[in-house]
Amino acid sequence: MTDKTLIKFGTDGWRAVIAEEFTFANVRRCAQATAGYMKSARLADAGVVIGWDTRFSSSDFASATARTMADTGIKVWLSRQAVPTPVISYTVASLKAGGGIAITASHNPANWNGFKFKSPDGASAPAAIVEEIEERIAAADLELLAAPAHEIEKASVTTSDFTLAYLEHIGKLLDIGVIRSAGLKVAVDSMHGAGCGWFKSILSGAKTTVHEIRGEPNPAFPGMKQPEPIAVNLSGLSDVIRQTATSVGLALDGDADRLGIMDEHGNFLTQLQVYALLALYFLEVRGERGAIVKTITTTNMLNRLGTLFNVPVFEVPVGFKYVAPVMLRENALIGGEESGGYGFRGHVPERDGILAGLYFLDFMARTGRTPSQLLARLYDLVGPHYYDRRDVTFDKAQRSSILERMREVSPEEIAGFKVEKKEDNDGFRFLLKGGSWLLVRFSGTEPLLRIYAEGDSIDNVNRILEAGAALAGVTELL
């Protein structure tokens, strides 16, 4: 009997609750549809790379995906062990494969898993490709259409170690020796995910030391609602920093494509601050020039840096599937989003929490500055900027009323700031006089309403967020 589950890809792949919608049958439907797309796009002959994270049964779902792809006549490289998603992305590009699949739900709660498709350059598949795969999934029958026997014989499943080529590559992007010899004391929270042990392995052997917590894979992700490197989940990392005179704290999400950073005092640096700091590192310390690509949820500090260093800044909707095409088109220096995902020129046009962390450590090593001193330097250039986000869980029946309410509302001011412009390209964004902004949008990966704000003080940010909740009619849910 055919499973009629409606499978829709969000901002980055399809994600669902394990054993409810994320079943072997539905994963095979996704694999079969992906194989059909690759054949129609003439990518199948180049093969497909498949990797997986530390979530419950991810290896089994990856094996089922590999067998399904091979049964349609496509050669498969299957990861031998759980690996970070950026390692999968790089492997796709380095092997010149026709595409890649990552079995991961990234930062979602422990009972979720997911299916991400990567294009031949290692990037998140753009919207047009995702739509074609969705159409094929809807039309697919669970009785798989096997390829002729001679094609299946050629389409072997080869288990491989993806890590060595990736490590060799990042060693060419920056001098790891500079970081190792800097004498930094680095605390790392790997959040029991696919990034466990990576920083410790890369940086060991010299003056810099790494103290890792939650460094053992655990699919239950104990001690956190979900493996997302945000302040509410990092109290343990903050305690380590404060108790051990640590230079900096780094945190990775469940599949290590996102990065969170804490300063030497155990204070969380927002993702917007980190993105602006990474851009400053490339522009001022490394002296490189190139476009900056940002999503609508990221900071106006990037626009200020673009003006100061005479580089263009491009803004796109939320999701790296929108960031990556512009990065490729413009040969961009850096691309990123509010979730803590950053991509870099010379690498794959995809988020990489490991490489982002190494670049931040290199920033510290080359300048001799602490994270708080780096932030002070940034504010000297662009002025102080503060940011926060509220996530609201709502009843699905409320979605349409919230959407209609946000479409109709047209305030002259928000939290005392004049509204200069309302935009609805991805959610509803209100540009406020003086450079502050408010954004209300539904998450593309979870059943959440997200409310974002940036302003010149944390008090103003909180006021704008509260006003945003009132506009959406969800104040009682905060």
Side-chain angles (χ1 to χ4, degrees), residues 13-52:
W14 169 58
R15 306 179 198 185
V17 175
I18 299 168
E20 289 187 7
E21 293 183 345
F22 200 89
T23 63
F24 283 102
N26 282 334
V27 168
R28 290 187 181 102
R29 288 174 66 199
C30 290
Q32 184 185 16
T34 302
Y37 159 73
M38 291 181 66
K39 285 173 178 276
S40 70
R42 298 185 178 180
L43 297 171
D45 288 347
V48 64
V49 169
I50 299 175
W52 43 280

Side-chain angles (χ1 to χ4, degrees), residues 250-273:
L250 307 179
L252 297 169
D253 74 332
D255 67 334
D257 66 352
R258 300 184 183 192
L259 175 73
I261 291 182
M262 283 189 153
D263 71 12
E264 71 277 17
H265 305 298
N267 300 316
F268 183 71
L269 299 185
T270 70
Q271 298 91 328
L272 276 63
Q273 291 169 331

Side-chain angles (χ1 to χ4, degrees), residues 46 51 70 95 288 366 413:
L95 290 177
E288 298 185 32
R366 290 199 190 198
E413 68 172 33

Side-chain angles (χ1 to χ4, degrees), residues 248-314:
V248 63
L250 307 179
L252 297 169
D253 74 332
D255 67 334
D257 66 352
R258 300 184 183 192
L259 175 73
I261 291 182
M262 283 189 153
D263 71 12
E264 71 277 17
H265 305 298
N267 300 316
F268 183 71
L269 299 185
T270 70
Q271 298 91 328
L272 276 63
Q273 291 169 331
V274 173
Y275 189 8
L277 285 168
L278 287 170
L280 180 62
Y281 159 73
F282 281 100
L283 294 166
E284 186 172 66
V285 176
R286 293 176 64 123
E288 298 185 32
R289 294 293 180 268
I292 297 171
V293 185
K294 53 174 281 196
T295 61
I296 63 168
T297 53
T298 50
T299 177
N300 286 338
M301 289 187 281
L302 295 167
N303 301 77
R304 296 290 302 276
L305 289 173
T307 300
L308 288 170
F309 290 93
N310 194 29
V311 298
V313 178
F314 295 87

Side-chain angles (χ1 to χ4, degrees), residues 228 230 338-339 387-391 450-453 465:
E228 183 176 12
I230 55 178
E338 174 270 346
S339 65
Y387 156 85
D388 203 356
R389 184 186 87 194
R390 306 275 173 85
D391 291 349
R450 299 196 192 279
I451 305 171
Y452 315 74
L465 288 170

Side-chain angles (χ1 to χ4, degrees), residues 397-406 442 472:
Q398 291 181 284
R399 183 183 178 103
S400 59
S401 62
I402 294 172
L403 192 59
E404 187 61 28
R405 184 184 180 105
M406 292 306 302
F442 292 102

